[in-house]
Amino acid sequence: MSDDPLPPSSPTPAPDRPTVRTAAVIPAAGRGVRLGPGAPKALRALGGTPMLVHAVRAMADSRAVSLVVVVAPPDGAGEVKSLLDAHALPERTDVLVVPGGESRQESVKLGLDALPEGYDIVLVHDAARPLVPVDTVDAVIEAVRDGAPAVVPALPLADTVKQVEPAAAPGEPEPVVATPDRSTLRAVQTPQGFDRATLVRAHGTVTDDVTDDASMVEQLGLTVVTVPGHEEAFKVTRPLDLVLAEAVLARRRLNDGF
């Protein structure tokens, strides 16, 4: 009998993963009144470039995203298309502009309705989150590919949170009724990722006014999971947020050549 060691067995090749195409929907039909009068929030300049363009680039930076649907103000689709055409975007990603509705929920549904067949994963991203890193986008997509029907990027809360009884009039003191355990709470960001069929079903079923698409999936009785968010994926809502976003962008340009 030979004492020679047996040759190592060849590793079993991993099964090929089916190609799954991803599209992103960016509702950008809101006016953004908390940033003050002027252009709609999504069209405000950040580092000399409209926030919407930054948001489209953030989605297109992911190699998994091959289509971005921008949902424009109902009477401003032409203006938004011209604006996007005037800025360099990754050539591998198609961009489609469609008119939106009166509410965010209606605008997302109109964006969904405009998606061609063949896209199995849909991201829904706030135009007012222009600086989300590509690693966060990819983490959301990967979690949906792994079987989650809905995925949200989220961050732990740094502040103590109080539940209050709303004041009868603005400015009046509000009684505290509870202090939730913040270790079980998360601040949710975008892009939120979905199995397309699940998101279409949610928009065709849930009629309540909601603040994000994941809560619609929750109302279907399905599980929504979180992946780590990023501190730079904050929402630009108030003038101070715009100052912070300018600082982040300036740092990126200095350090990374962004």
Side-chain angles (χ1 to χ4, degrees), residues 23-26 55-56 59-60 65-70 93-97:
V25 174
I26 302 181
V56 172
M59 297 298 99
V65 176
S66 53
L67 173 66
V68 178
V69 178
V70 176
T93 305
D94 294 327
V95 178
L96 174 66
V97 179

Side-chain angles (χ1 to χ4, degrees), residues 10 91 98 207:
S10 300
E91 292 184 0
V98 299
T207 57

Side-chain angles (χ1 to χ4, degrees), residues 100-148:
E102 295 302 318
S103 67
R104 181 187 184 280
Q105 195 166 332
E106 184 181 353
S107 291
V108 172
K109 186 177 186 307
L110 289 169
L112 273 175
D113 291 344
L115 285 181
E117 293 298 321
Y119 289 92
D120 304 293
I121 295 176
V122 180
L123 306 179
V124 180
H125 183 57
D126 294 333
R129 296 184 191 270
L131 300 177
V132 57
V134 68
D135 288 351
T136 302
V137 180
D138 287 341
V140 170
I141 295 169
E142 190 66 20
V144 180
R145 282 180 174 171
D146 286 342

Side-chain angles (χ1 to χ4, degrees), residues 61 69 73 79 81 104 138-139 150 173 185 187 190 204 207 230 240 258:
D61 279 345
V69 178
E79 177 188 358
K81 187 177 187 311
R104 181 187 184 280
D138 287 341
L185 301 176
T190 69
T207 57
H230 196 283
L240 184 60
F258 178 80

Side-chain angles (χ1 to χ4, degrees), residues 50-83:
M51 280 199 293
L52 175 60
V53 174
H54 287 287
V56 172
R57 286 175 176 166
M59 297 298 99
D61 279 345
S62 170
R63 290 194 162 274
V65 176
S66 53
L67 173 66
V68 178
V69 178
V70 176
V71 188
D75 57 352
E79 177 188 358
V80 169
K81 187 177 187 311
S82 297
L83 181 147

Side-chain angles (χ1 to χ4, degrees), residues 10-61:
S10 300
T12 302
D16 291 335
R17 197 171 201 174
T19 301
V20 178
R21 301 177 74 197
T22 300
V25 174
I26 302 181
R31 301 299 303 180
V33 294
R34 281 179 287 182
L35 274 177
K41 178 166 54 179
L43 304 185
R44 300 294 180 90
L46 173 59
T49 300
M51 280 199 293
L52 175 60
V53 174
H54 287 287
V56 172
R57 286 175 176 166
M59 297 298 99
D61 279 345

